[in-house]
Amino acid sequence: MLFLEVTLLVLYGLCLAFILGFSITQFQLTQLARRAYARGLPTEPPAPATWPRVTVQLPIYNEVFVVERLLDACAALDYPADKLHLQVLDDSTDETVGLVAARVAHYRARGLRIDQVRRSDRQGFKAGALRHGLELTNGEFIAIFDADFVPKPDFLRRTLPYFDAPDVGVVQTRWGHLNEYYSLLTQLQAFGLNAHFYLEQVGRTSGGHFINFNGTGGIWRRSCIEDAGGWHTDTLTEDLDLSYRAQLRGWRFRYLPQVVAPAELPAAMDALKSQQFRWTKGAAETARKHLLTVLRSNQTTATKLHAAFHLLNSTVFVAILLMALVSVPLVYVRVDLPQLKPLLQLSSVFLLAFVPLIHYYYTSWRLDKPLASGWRFAPKFLLFMSMSMGLTLHNARAVLLGWLGKQSAFIRTPKLGLINQQGTWRGRRYRTGSLLDGLTLLEGLLTLYFAFGIGAGLYLHDWGLIPFHLMLTIGYGLTFYYSMRHRK
């Protein structure tokens, strides 16, 4: 029995140690980003004497609610018409096809070079569509926007000047949020994404470390794509995969936090889960594919460490899930085995891993909302952390499938054309999951499991893990609630 209890404690400590390493890298990225902002953003390079040929690729699949908005925004891009080519990579199987055809005909009649590219099947999903489209265009630079994006007219003129050296392969911009205030769910998503775009990307760029193209809202140099081997279809995050292959070959990426590409956040839990599944499983697949190569490369030790935690960031969900599951029986271990008190106190030290995360998210929140009252941060942060914990079962499953090399279909995140609090549910025609699956039921049971942990701590007068169990109960409760609510 003692062996089992010590094993639980060791497993709990190992998970916390991994989270501590991740947290320290986030703290360092925060400091790098703060210094970069203090120095001021680089001045915009002068416009090129001759604007290059640009292809704007728009990969879509069944996007009735947003495709016209996307095409209208891209048709309004302020760029020489003889140098601009719009490619609608349309793999749709519903009336989206007809909407695109009508819009393409409309803009062609006005002199815009725009094509609707259709394939006989969805082989390779988004990566396959991008690869196929590249064969049908002569663009020197390739801008990519997903269906939910609404680029501003000056996007190309503000980004292309940053390709001012032949080894610059990518220019990535910051995502904005069209519907941040639509619901609590969208507010929490924006809170988390802002930290990545305000701090992680800036910090990695400032430190000379690898960053990633975010799949949309950015531009590739065509020769960079080709030199790195083109779009591969063996991961669900083709953007992260190609980013690492390109940077390992010496291409430089630039990130522009001052240029914003507005997009719509998923407003339904099943849509959010499909997005999270794709991101977390794809990151694990990319880590499986490239981690050893990165560690064996001639990059600096700091860059290797940051790249390792970058590739392993989705694996944090596995660590949190294991730590959470073990923490409930540990309530009894803490009481029944006082001889283990020194080890338990040591494990408590690792809880300091969450302190750098507070600094990380507070810095990001301040950059995004400099005029907001400071007291608003704490509830937003605690709810975000709780919701993140509530998604650990779903995301950990995705990560493990990625590490095991299990193939999955690319399920895109459907959007409804929502802007802030405007718009309503227009049916669930693009549902990405079943009405009530086994995973959702398990999330409901875990809500009760962690609530039991709170009760056990109160009954045994052991308060150490109650805050953790409270956040887990709230997080899994919210995940289960939204999963049930958004079934309709």
Side-chain angles (χ1 to χ4, degrees):
M1 193 66 176
L2 179 62
F3 174 78
L4 176 61
E5 291 165 330
V6 172
T7 300
L8 290 175
L9 185 59
V10 170
L11 180 60
Y12 184 83
L14 289 174
C15 291
L16 276 174
F18 178 72
I19 295 169
L20 175 63
F22 173 77
S23 184
I24 289 172
T25 63
Q26 300 303 93
F27 178 80
Q28 187 182 19
L29 289 175
T30 304
Q31 298 306 101
L32 287 170
R34 284 167 61 95
R35 287 197 286 270
Y37 285 118
R39 290 193 301 267
L41 298 173
T43 57
E44 185 174 328
T50 302
W51 289 101
R53 296 188 306 276
V54 176
T55 297
V56 179
Q57 291 190 321
L58 310 174
I60 63 168
Y61 175 70
N62 294 353
E63 295 289 1
V64 166
F65 300 128
V66 296
V67 69
E68 291 174 305
R69 182 180 70 182
L70 169 70
L71 297 188
D72 290 344
C74 291
L77 288 168
D78 178 19
Y79 202 74
D82 62 329
K83 298 295 181 66
L84 181 63
H85 180 200
L86 301 188
Q87 269 191 338
V88 190
L89 307 176
D90 184 9
D91 285 347
S92 301
T93 57
D94 66 0
E95 59 265 44
T96 303
V97 178
L99 293 176
V100 171
R103 225 58 178 166
V104 167
H106 171 80
Y107 286 115
R108 269 189 175 175
R110 283 156 178 75
L112 185 64
R113 185 186 174 196
I114 180 170
D115 296 317
Q116 181 181 21
V117 179
R118 300 278 295 154
R119 298 190 296 163
S120 58
D121 56 52
R122 291 185 70 205
Q123 184 177 3
F125 304 106
K126 180 180 176 180
L130 294 171
R131 185 171 59 195
H132 177 67
L134 202 60
E135 299 171 356
L136 306 176
T137 186
N138 62 350
E140 302 167 72
F141 293 90
I142 311 296
I144 300 172
F145 296 105
D146 284 347
D148 52 306
F149 274 69
V150 186
K152 296 178 181 178
D154 63 353
F155 182 89
L156 296 177
R157 290 186 181 272
R158 293 191 66 188
T159 51
L160 283 166
Y162 288 89
F163 288 96
D164 56 355
D167 64 338
V168 177
V170 168
V171 170
Q172 174 67 51
T173 65
R174 176 167 60 89
W175 292 5
H177 314 298
L178 293 169
N179 61 328
E180 176 177 352
Y181 298 104
Y182 185 80
S183 67
L184 175 63
L185 195 62
T186 56
Q187 289 183 55
L188 296 180
Q189 290 176 70
F191 183 87
L193 285 170
N194 286 342
H196 170 71
F197 285 102
Y198 276 110
L199 296 180
E200 276 190 316
Q201 293 286 59
V202 174
R204 290 191 180 109
T205 299
S206 177
H209 308 313
F210 286 4
I211 69 169
N212 61 292
F213 171 65
N214 291 109
T216 176
I219 305 179
W220 283 84
R221 189 188 294 271
R222 183 191 185 117
S223 57
C224 174
I225 297 175
E226 294 170 343
D227 179 69
W231 296 104
H232 289 185
T233 61
D234 56 349
T235 75
L236 292 181
T237 47
E238 72 293 322
D239 45 6
L240 182 62
D241 171 37
L242 183 56
S243 295
Y244 266 78
R245 283 188 279 121
Q247 288 170 108
L248 284 167
R249 290 189 60 80
W251 290 94
R252 286 192 297 134
F253 285 22
R254 285 188 170 164
Y255 175 66
L256 309 181
Q258 71 274 26
V259 180
V260 180
E264 182 182 331
L265 296 162
M269 179 55 77
D270 65 312
L272 174 61
K273 281 183 171 180
S274 72
Q275 184 185 72
Q276 289 287 307
F277 181 89
R278 192 172 69 249
W279 287 356
T280 51
K281 182 175 185 285
E285 290 170 333
T286 306
R288 186 172 180 262
K289 183 175 179 179
H290 293 301
L291 182 57
L292 287 180
T293 303
V294 170
L295 295 177
R296 292 167 179 165
S297 70
N298 59 358
Q299 303 295 321
T300 66
T301 300
T303 294
K304 289 179 182 180
L305 285 173
H306 275 283
F309 278 103
H310 186 193
L311 290 170
L312 293 173
N313 64 0
S314 66
T315 306
V316 170
F317 287 107
V318 178
I320 295 174
L321 178 62
L322 287 174
M323 187 176 70
L325 293 174
V326 166
S327 65
V328 173
L330 276 184
V331 174
Y332 295 92
V333 173
R334 288 163 66 99
V335 173
D336 294 343
L337 295 175
Q339 63 268 35
L340 295 180
K341 187 176 180 179
L343 283 176
L344 291 166
Q345 289 175 333
L346 181 62
S347 70
S348 298
V349 172
F350 285 109
L351 290 175
L352 293 175
F354 293 99
V355 174
L357 291 179
I358 297 173
H359 176 60
Y360 169 70
Y361 283 108
Y362 182 76
T363 302
S364 164
W365 182 76
R366 269 299 179 204
L367 287 167
D368 185 58
K369 296 180 172 50
L371 301 179
S373 300
W375 67 269
R376 294 179 180 272
F377 168 76
K380 187 67 68 68
F381 172 75
L382 291 173
L383 275 173
F384 170 76
M385 293 299 292
S386 297
M387 181 63 83
S388 298
M389 292 177 184
L391 286 167
T392 51
L393 176 65
H394 176 272
N395 289 352
R397 173 178 172 270
V399 170
L400 292 175
L401 288 173
W403 278 108
L404 292 172
K406 301 292 185 181
Q407 294 298 309
S408 303
F410 184 104
I411 302 175
R412 63 92 173 88
T413 307
K415 302 293 170 32
L416 299 176
L418 306 175
I419 298 178
N420 284 330
Q421 294 177 316
Q422 302 173 13
T424 58
W425 295 100
R426 290 182 280 185
R428 302 299 299 119
R429 62 184 300 170
Y430 291 146
R431 185 175 303 282
T432 59
S434 60
L435 294 180
L436 184 61
D437 57 16
L439 203 66
T440 300
L441 288 174
L442 279 175
E443 288 164 347
L445 291 174
L446 283 175
T447 304
L448 300 177
Y449 177 71
F450 295 120
F452 173 81
I454 296 173
L458 292 172
Y459 178 76
L460 296 170
H461 303 288
D462 187 271
W463 320 107
L465 289 170
I466 286 180
F468 185 43
H469 290 154
L470 179 61
M471 292 177 71
L472 285 163
T473 302
I474 293 172
Y476 272 97
L478 284 172
T479 302
F480 181 72
Y481 165 74
Y482 278 119
S483 296
M484 297 295 291
R485 178 185 172 186
H486 294 163
R487 290 185 303 156
K488 299 179 181 180

